[in-house]
Amino acid sequence: MKHESIYTYKLKGKFEQSIDLKINDEVFIPTATSDFLIKASIKAIENPGSLLDLGCGNGIVGISLFLNNVVTKLFASDLSKDAIKLAEENLLKYDIEALVKCSDKFDSWDNFKFDYIINDVSGVAEDIAKHSSWFKNVPNNSGFDGANHVIDIIKLAKKYLNKNGKLIFPIISLSNEELILKNAKKYFDKVNELSSDKWFLPSELSEKMDILKKLKKNNAINYDEKFGKIVCSTKIYEAFS
């Protein structure tokens, strides 16, 4: 049975406020990566414009950026029908007009172009996702090294960007950062790191050292060890031509 609750996010930027958004256990619940992505995007978007929130989940990224007045027209999509329903309810609560579609990446956005595309589609190695509460009841097929979806989006994004448009995307060290960046630099003229944040891996995953060591040995992920804990990172990048 689906369980719904309220997630409170303290929005910081030009307009500080708390926003209450619906979540449920069948839609990816916002994590620290969502927060890092929002903060970095607010700083990166100097000229407000149209934005596609790709892999929108419950809508937290697009809603937060719209409320910070860095978005003039909002579009959002997710592969999950439950996510789309939640996003639409949360958008309605804050009286935000947006075009929301059920879509696998760019499949439903032919003939559309945007000033900004934010990728919030999962990028975590599958063997890690299987043991993580982040993906409870939420499928993850991002590949052995967690790079599949991110690279697919990077390859196609330019087609959906207006002139001088930007793709903003996170890379978690639980994926193949080197491979993702290699592709970003292949398809875009400029790739800049906007922010970098370190965090301790949850205990539920730290206990899976056999999996972590195997993935690291194969250059699929990366992490450090400090104070007896596993330290990971989330980096936010912008790419443009």
Side-chain angles (χ1 to χ4, degrees):
M1 185 176 180
K2 189 186 304 181
H3 175 70
E4 287 195 350
S5 57
I6 297 296
Y7 175 88
T8 299
Y9 177 66
K10 293 185 178 180
L11 181 63
K12 293 184 178 181
K14 297 177 183 177
F15 302 96
E16 294 193 10
Q17 61 175 297
S18 291
I19 56 176
D20 295 324
L21 302 173
K22 275 189 179 182
I23 57 173
N24 71 47
D25 52 12
E26 293 186 7
V27 175
F28 190 82
I29 294 172
T31 64
T33 298
S34 307
D35 180 51
F36 300 152
L37 189 53
I38 291 165
K39 290 175 180 176
S41 298
I42 289 172
K43 292 179 180 179
I45 299 176
E46 298 176 352
N47 301 306
S50 60
L51 178 138
L52 171 61
D53 182 1
L54 201 60
C56 66
N58 74 338
I60 183 172
V61 173
I63 290 171
S64 298
L65 296 179
F66 191 92
L67 292 176
N68 250 281
N69 283 358
V70 297
V71 174
T72 56
K73 196 168 184 180
L74 180 60
F75 303 82
S77 63
D78 199 287
L79 183 60
S80 163
K81 292 181 180 179
D82 286 312
I84 294 304
K85 183 175 182 295
L86 267 186
E88 289 176 335
E89 291 177 4
N90 288 326
L91 287 160
L92 182 63
K93 178 177 180 178
Y94 287 94
D95 197 27
I96 298 173
E97 289 188 14
L99 179 58
V100 184
K101 295 189 175 195
C102 189
S103 178
D104 184 1
K105 299 166 191 150
F106 292 108
D107 285 357
S108 297
W109 296 110
D110 285 346
N111 302 316
F112 282 83
K113 284 185 179 288
F114 313 94
D115 297 314
Y116 304 97
I117 296 172
I118 291 190
N119 171 40
D120 203 12
V121 175
S122 173
V124 173
E126 282 186 19
D127 284 348
I128 294 175
K130 290 174 185 175
H131 299 281
S132 171
S133 57
W134 299 329
F135 296 93
K136 184 180 179 181
N137 300 324
V138 179
N140 177 293
N141 59 344
S142 54
F144 174 74
D145 62 358
N148 288 1
H149 297 317
V150 182
I151 291 174
D152 285 348
I153 289 165
I154 287 169
K155 288 179 177 179
L156 293 171
K158 191 181 290 188
K159 175 183 174 183
Y160 298 91
L161 283 169
N162 288 322
K163 185 179 179 181
N164 300 320
K166 289 183 179 182
L167 170 67
I168 301 173
F169 61 99
I171 301 180
I172 299 175
S173 59
L174 298 177
S175 66
N176 192 334
E177 180 177 7
E178 183 178 351
L179 182 61
I180 293 170
L181 282 178
K182 181 179 178 181
N183 277 273
K185 291 173 181 177
K186 176 180 178 181
Y187 288 93
F188 288 90
D189 296 331
K190 295 185 180 296
V191 180
N192 299 326
E193 182 180 314
L194 296 171
S195 69
S196 178
D197 298 272
K198 293 185 181 295
W199 42 276
F200 289 119
L201 192 67
S203 58
E204 64 182 11
L205 294 176
S206 297
E207 295 169 357
K208 306 295 181 181
M209 285 306 301
D210 55 333
I211 296 174
L212 294 170
K213 287 179 179 179
K214 178 183 176 181
L215 289 168
K216 185 174 183 178
K217 183 179 179 180
N218 286 280
N219 298 315
I221 67 170
N222 195 20
Y223 58 83
D224 296 315
E225 296 185 53
K226 191 173 184 179
F227 307 125
K229 294 186 176 183
I230 302 298
V231 181
C232 300
S233 67
T234 299
K235 297 178 182 178
I236 311 297
Y237 291 88
E238 62 175 3
F240 54 94
S241 294

